[in-house]
Amino acid sequence: MLESIGLSRQDESVYEALVRRVHATVAELAHDCRLPAPATRRSVRSLVSLGLAVRSTGRPVTYAAVSPDSALEAVLRDRERALNDVRSHVSGLMDLYRAGTRFVNPGELVEVVSGRDDVNRRWAQLQQSTRTQVRGFDRPPYASHEEHTEPNPVELELLKRGVAYRVIYDSTVLSLPGWLADVTVGVRHGEQARVAADLPMKLAISDDRLAIIPLLRPGDHAVTASYLIHPSPLLDALVALFEALWERSVQVRLPSNGGSPGRLEQAPDELTAEEAKLLTLLAAGATDKSAGRALGWSERTVQRHVTRLMQRFGAQTRFQIAMEATRRGWI
């Protein structure tokens, strides 16, 4: 049990014998542990150096156990400080490593992955190796489906483990059937989702160490190749681009009342589930048609809900609806 703090099994056996006796000579401890006297003496010296025992000044020489709670706690604190020093050293070494790899092998900083299966495999590996957060731009087309209609199972599992996901969706996804239900699942599990218009690319960044950019040509309807970007100034630029667009994008919020689609009743100062989703879509730039597709409504139904919101807020324009919803912290 005490090997993790620097005690060998022999040292631990001698220590337990000393704790039982409280005071003992080397000969007594050697007898209790069935060890040769020289080996017992070495273990006792180790215990004294760790502060787990003290040596008397009289004759014969005896050793006393220090109270285990305070003695072992002090050893643990020393070990924790040592481990923190190691962590700091590792961090410094990683800075040196990143700086070196940016210039020693520049040809290896960008890797090309070809084939839909390989792209999907590397995308899954990138997520599974993430320790802190995944950041990304999401827009069609997709490597696994023509339409993005299913939650990402790897993401849902990693969210449970505490890995953060921050995703900016391009406004073109608003018209995809099932998108709203998909992103709702992610958000309810902890994903931070936002919407922006005209994202420049598809992108995923794992911590600050690796990014993947799907390679798309005009007319492509599926992802069949991707770039992998290793630590480099290019990766730093992609991280900076994500953070800049994140600040300017529209947050996807779910209604706090947990309402379900179709429920129109609400407290006077609360949004229904439908209204919360509609406001998010409209604030992200969705047209009546694309908002209707995302919500499973007709354009006429979208217009009817917008009219209700205008009447409720006393607004004359959609812009005024957005301003009032923002003032209330709804979008």
Side-chain angles (χ1 to χ4, degrees):
M1 289 296 296
L2 300 181
E3 285 181 309
S4 59
I5 63 171
L7 289 182
S8 67
R9 292 188 178 184
Q10 177 179 294
D11 294 344
E12 183 173 352
S13 176
V14 172
Y15 178 59
E16 289 181 354
L18 182 58
V19 168
R20 283 194 297 270
R21 282 183 174 266
V22 183
H23 298 273
T25 64
V26 169
E28 290 171 335
L29 294 173
H31 177 269
D32 290 351
C33 299
R34 299 179 182 179
L35 291 171
T40 304
R41 188 172 288 105
R42 285 193 298 271
S43 290
V44 170
R45 288 172 181 167
S46 177
L47 297 178
V48 171
S49 67
L50 288 171
L52 300 178
V54 293
R55 183 180 185 274
S56 72
T57 57
R59 293 291 178 181
V61 175
T62 60
Y63 295 88
V66 177
S67 177
D69 57 353
S70 59
L72 290 174
E73 185 64 31
V75 174
L76 287 173
R77 285 196 297 269
D78 288 341
R79 294 294 170 180
E80 288 172 354
R81 282 193 292 269
L83 288 174
N84 287 334
D85 290 342
V86 172
R87 291 190 184 97
S88 298
H89 187 55
V90 169
S91 178
L93 289 174
M94 282 304 301
D95 290 339
L96 292 174
Y97 176 77
R98 293 189 188 100
T101 55
R102 293 179 181 189
F103 303 104
V104 173
N105 299 303
E108 298 177 2
L109 298 181
V110 178
E111 179 184 350
V112 179
V113 180
S114 300
R116 181 179 295 190
D117 291 341
D118 284 342
V119 168
N120 285 332
R121 178 174 57 82
R122 296 302 292 270
W123 163 228
Q125 289 175 346
L126 177 142
Q127 295 177 89
Q128 291 164 346
S129 65
T130 302
R131 295 184 177 183
T132 304
Q133 69 170 328
V134 174
R135 290 170 283 191
F137 298 153
D138 187 289
R139 58 176 298 167
Y142 299 97
S144 55
H145 300 282
E146 290 186 4
E147 292 187 337
H148 189 52
T149 59
E150 297 180 3
N152 177 354
V154 179
E155 174 186 345
L156 298 182
E157 179 61 32
L158 291 178
L159 284 168
K160 294 178 183 177
R161 299 182 194 171
V163 175
Y165 270 75
R166 290 197 289 149
V167 184
I168 305 175
Y169 294 90
D170 189 85
S171 56
T172 56
V173 304
L174 301 178
S175 62
L176 295 181
W179 174 82
L180 192 57
D182 177 356
V183 77
T184 296
V185 172
V187 171
R188 292 203 184 283
H189 281 78
E191 175 187 308
Q192 299 176 61
R194 296 191 176 189
V195 180
D198 301 322
L199 290 179
M201 68 189 84
K202 291 168 67 74
L203 168 70
I205 306 170
S206 171
D207 298 323
D208 289 324
R209 59 172 193 82
L210 188 64
I212 185 169
I213 302 177
L215 178 58
L216 294 167
R217 297 164 296 185
D220 282 350
H221 298 292
V223 178
T224 58
S226 291
Y227 295 123
L228 283 179
I229 313 298
H230 295 272
S232 61
L234 176 56
L235 180 59
D236 295 342
L238 292 172
V239 170
L241 174 63
F242 174 88
E243 295 297 343
L245 291 181
W246 179 262
E247 291 301 319
R248 298 200 297 268
S249 54
V250 177
Q251 182 179 358
V252 176
R253 290 188 179 181
L254 301 182
S256 58
N257 57 24
S260 58
R263 191 179 72 84
L264 295 178
E265 300 80 7
Q266 77 279 345
D269 198 37
E270 290 183 355
L271 292 177
T272 65
E274 296 157 318
E275 290 170 338
K277 293 175 181 178
L278 177 59
L279 278 173
T280 296
L281 294 172
L282 295 179
T287 63
D288 289 353
K289 183 176 181 180
S290 60
R293 290 193 64 184
L295 295 167
W297 298 349
S298 67
E299 287 186 61
R300 192 174 187 84
T301 301
V302 171
Q303 292 163 2
R304 187 168 63 251
H305 277 272
V306 170
T307 299
R308 287 179 182 174
L309 287 171
M310 292 174 69
Q311 292 172 346
R312 181 174 169 187
F313 295 155
Q316 301 298 315
T317 66
R318 294 187 180 204
F319 178 75
Q320 290 175 343
I321 293 177
M323 290 294 290
E324 179 62 19
T326 300
R327 186 187 68 78
R328 300 187 185 199
W330 289 341
I331 63 172

